[in-house]
Amino acid sequence: NIGNAGLVIADSKQRKNPEQTTGWLNVNWALGFNRTNNYNSNTLIEGTNTSSSILNSWKLNANNQGQGHSGLNSYSYGNLAFQSYLLEPVSSINGSTDSTHYLDETRHDNSINVLQKDYIQTWGASNNISISVAGNYSNKLFLGASLNVSTVNFRTDRQFTETNLNKPNTTPGDTQYKSVVLEESDTTTGVGINATIGVIYKFDEMFRIGGSIQLPTAYNLTDVFTRTITANITGITPYPPESLPYVASMQNYVGYNYTLITPAKFTVSGAIFFTQNGFLSVDYEYSDYSAANILGNDFVDANQYTQNNM
């Protein structure tokens, strides 16, 4: 939980020779650590929903794919819900030829009445480690540069629970949807690198100007997702044959490795010092976020979205 730490090693020629007023008067080396983001949080959302079930959302996900059950995206909510017996193709319900549209198990209830709980926990941090050098030339020109290594470690865990509050269905051939638990875990880890260069020029004791450039940061990141749906439905004879609660659990896993390039940042500044009465400073910072992009042909749409909207 350390927010920042630093070590500076200073070499002052002017301290060794007070009469020296030109040339490199000071050269400083520094090693720094700075926590740029803290991702720790806990969120709980709970309530009774009489408008929609999570199953309705998963049904829409499956229907929008326009595929039979064998063609559903294996990582999608729609596929997991189908594999957990929460969705059925229309063709298996009414004997039609439509196998690309689905109905969910809430169709056996007269109305929607579910208790929903969503617990989301996140943790991790982004950190920046830098090696820097800075110098003072003749008390007029001040230069600095740093090499920065950024680390990213982010994780979120989610458990969404839905319980059906409707009374049990007693129609033969129907099922009673009891409850479902959705568990998701997402992690993003990686390392980025960039460099920063800065300069200040001091005209006199009153006026000075400056500028800096932070070069684009190149991140190599890995995302890992796991998703599990566990359903609890009671079959009413003769469907399924047994009338005991049936618990189906389906899980998928997927990982991505990619390179993210964040845009450069340019800063210009000026300051006026009024001796001991204060000072006035102005900074102008520019960064073109539309220049951010993810390398690879799989991210053409995402990059186009960034260019259009950032």
Side-chain angles (χ1 to χ4, degrees):
N1 292 314
I2 296 176
N4 56 74
L7 171 68
V8 178
I9 300 174
D11 179 16
S12 174
K13 291 184 171 64
Q14 198 170 32
R15 184 175 57 188
K16 300 174 183 177
N17 182 10
E19 296 181 358
Q20 181 176 347
T21 58
T22 60
W24 290 106
L25 304 180
N26 298 83
V27 177
N28 301 329
W29 295 87
L31 178 66
F33 168 85
N34 186 45
R35 175 150 291 178
T36 54
N37 282 295
N38 185 324
Y39 300 125
N40 298 327
S41 71
N42 291 280
T43 304
L44 175 64
I45 306 167
E46 181 177 353
T48 301
N49 191 341
T50 58
S51 300
S52 63
S53 161
I54 191 70
L55 271 60
N56 306 151
S57 173
W58 297 341
K59 175 187 65 177
L60 289 175
N61 178 268
N63 288 341
N64 288 337
Q65 295 184 51
Q67 299 288 329
H69 64 83
S70 61
L72 293 174
N73 185 322
S74 59
Y75 303 116
S76 67
Y77 292 111
N79 178 66
L80 284 183
F82 172 81
Q83 299 293 342
S84 301
Y85 299 97
L86 295 170
L87 302 181
E88 291 183 71
V90 172
S91 58
S92 67
I93 297 172
N94 57 23
S96 71
T97 58
D98 185 0
S99 61
T100 62
H101 286 82
Y102 301 81
L103 295 176
D104 63 70
E105 290 302 327
T106 62
R107 71 182 187 277
H108 298 298
D109 295 325
N110 294 325
S111 60
I112 298 294
N113 186 20
V114 293
L115 174 64
Q116 297 176 328
K117 296 181 181 180
D118 204 2
Y119 179 58
I120 304 169
Q121 185 178 25
T122 66
W123 61 80
S126 296
N127 303 308
N128 185 69
I129 302 169
S130 61
I131 300 175
S132 306
V133 60
N136 168 6
Y137 189 83
S138 302
N139 283 326
K140 287 287 187 180
L141 182 65
F142 303 85
L143 297 172
S146 65
L147 179 66
N148 309 298
V149 176
S150 300
T151 63
V152 177
N153 182 21
F154 172 79
R155 174 168 176 168
T156 177
D157 285 335
R158 178 192 186 195
Q159 184 182 70
F160 179 91
T161 303
E162 179 177 280
T163 304
N164 191 358
L165 301 179
N166 286 309
K167 292 182 179 181
N169 192 327
T170 58
T171 304
D174 288 349
T175 59
Q176 171 63 27
Y177 163 54
K178 309 281 285 184
S179 64
V180 68
V181 178
L182 167 67
E183 295 176 293
E184 294 180 304
S185 177
D186 302 341
T187 62
T188 297
T189 56
V191 177
I193 188 169
N194 69 29
T196 304
I197 302 171
V199 58
I200 298 174
Y201 185 79
K202 184 178 177 182
F203 291 97
D204 51 38
E205 294 300 320
M206 187 173 184
F207 297 102
R208 64 194 65 185
I209 60 172
S212 68
I213 300 173
Q214 178 179 298
L215 300 179
T217 305
Y219 287 98
N220 183 264
L221 300 174
T222 300
D223 290 358
V224 176
F225 306 92
T226 61
R227 182 176 294 159
T228 304
I229 290 179
T230 303
N232 187 341
I233 56 177
T234 299
I236 302 173
T237 305
Y239 174 77
E242 69 280 0
S243 60
L244 297 176
Y246 178 77
V247 178
S249 179
M250 293 299 299
Q251 182 184 74
N252 64 21
Y253 162 93
V254 63
Y256 299 99
N257 182 264
Y258 55 97
T259 299
L260 171 67
I261 308 295
T262 62
K265 183 187 298 182
F266 304 90
T267 304
V268 294
S269 60
I272 303 174
F273 284 78
F274 305 104
T275 61
Q276 297 180 353
N277 298 317
F279 64 91
L280 173 67
S281 66
V282 177
D283 290 350
Y284 178 82
E285 184 178 284
Y286 176 82
S287 186
D288 181 8
Y289 287 95
S290 69
N293 68 92
I294 307 173
L295 302 185
N297 295 329
D298 294 337
F299 303 102
V300 173
D301 291 341
N303 290 332
Q304 188 63 52
Y305 179 88
T306 301
Q307 293 174 19
N308 293 341
N309 293 278
M310 301 298 287

